[in-house]
Amino acid sequence: MTTQLSPEIADRAHAAFLGLAIGDALGATVEFMTAREIAAEYGVHRDIVGGGWLKLKAGAVTDDTQMSLCLARSLTRRGGFEAIDVCEEFAAWLRSKPPDVGNTCRRGIRRYITAGTVEGPFAEGDAGNGAAMRCLPVALANLDDASRAATWGIAQAHATHNHPLSDAATLALIDMVRILVATGDVAAARARADALVAAHPNFAFTGYHGPATAYIVDTMKTALAAFFTAASFEACIVATVNRGDDADTTGAIAGMLAGARWGTSVIPKRWLKALEAGARSEIAALVPKLLALSAPPPP
């Protein structure tokens, strides 16, 4: 099929990126807390107030959004995926001393800085969520091209994470976002999630109430369980981040899926107003450029 970039598709794409940033900002407040601790302190955590272990300003985003923006900048600047350019974006970001950097991401970026290699070798410790959390720009730039999406998705992942579970989750997430943005077909997105589980049964997410850690299996099970049972954009993200643990990343992944499903019209105004203005404006500028990479060529 050839996806015509309708206003509805553009809206869902914009909402997916906003959802990522909103889930990140909301979840950062309760990152590394338990669900019981969140309930004791907040009741239900549903407002972007900052704080948390990083002591962030209200609306500030973390590595989930920042690395996604790095990838989006590179893709749109270069007109496609160039591994060295992506790694240079990641390196510049790391040198800026961001408040939150995952250990595996830091190790991979420092390997590029010191050795110049754009792909790390397989490592058992690479089954974290850092590659999946930032994959959204690849999906938006490849709505119509599953093969190119997979190639770019794995290449960006292996800059920091080289593990079959990370790869599988990243590719599944890219495909689910592509499906939702291009068609709005939740059943087709569910079928892609079920295919992930069929290939890797430890990703089974139906009825999941376990840990929401940075281990990619826990992260995906948490986000998918919330997404496929929630009745709204807000309910999806709130349910996800109130599980605690790695709440900024589970919130970011749930948010990108929720935005891709429900669009911008249902995003709570209080969340949009609270979100860091710089991130909000850069997302608005980058999303049309990412979609332009998906646009069918002129006849």
Side-chain angles (χ1 to χ4, degrees), residues 126-223:
D126 282 8
N129 56 22
M133 74 184 187
R134 63 177 187 248
C135 72
L136 175 64
V138 171
L140 300 185
N142 290 285
L143 295 182
D144 239 8
D145 194 333
S147 177
R148 193 174 75 171
T151 299
W152 292 7
I154 293 300
Q156 71 83 25
H158 286 184
T160 57
H161 293 66
N162 191 338
H163 192 283
L165 293 176
S166 169
D167 290 353
T170 299
L171 293 181
L173 191 56
I174 288 170
D175 284 343
M176 282 186 276
V177 171
R178 290 175 56 247
I179 290 164
L180 291 166
V181 169
T183 69
D185 190 339
V186 179
R190 176 60 189 251
R192 182 63 181 88
D194 290 342
L196 170 67
V197 175
H200 300 278
N202 47 346
F203 280 106
F205 59 87
T206 301
Y208 181 69
H209 296 289
T213 72
Y215 176 43
I216 189 59
V217 173
D218 292 349
T219 295
M220 290 293 285
K221 289 165 77 167
T222 299

Side-chain angles (χ1 to χ4, degrees), residues 17 20-21 24 54 56 60-73 89-90 93-94 96-101 133-134 137 252 276 279 282-283 286:
F17 219 139
L20 183 158
D24 178 11
L54 291 169
L56 297 173
V61 296
T62 74
D63 53 345
D64 306 87
T65 306
Q66 291 164 352
M67 293 195 80
S68 298
L69 289 170
C70 286
L71 181 55
R73 287 184 207 117
E89 276 283 345
F90 290 165
W93 170 73
L94 184 63
S96 75
K97 296 183 170 40
D100 189 22
V101 185
M133 74 184 187
R134 63 177 187 248
E276 179 183 302
E282 190 168 16
I283 287 167
L286 286 170

Side-chain angles (χ1 to χ4, degrees), residues 33-35 38 208-212 222 225 238-245 247:
M33 296 176 70
T34 66
I38 295 167
Y208 181 69
H209 296 289
T222 299
V238 168
T240 302
V241 302
N242 277 272
R243 298 284 300 282
D245 284 338

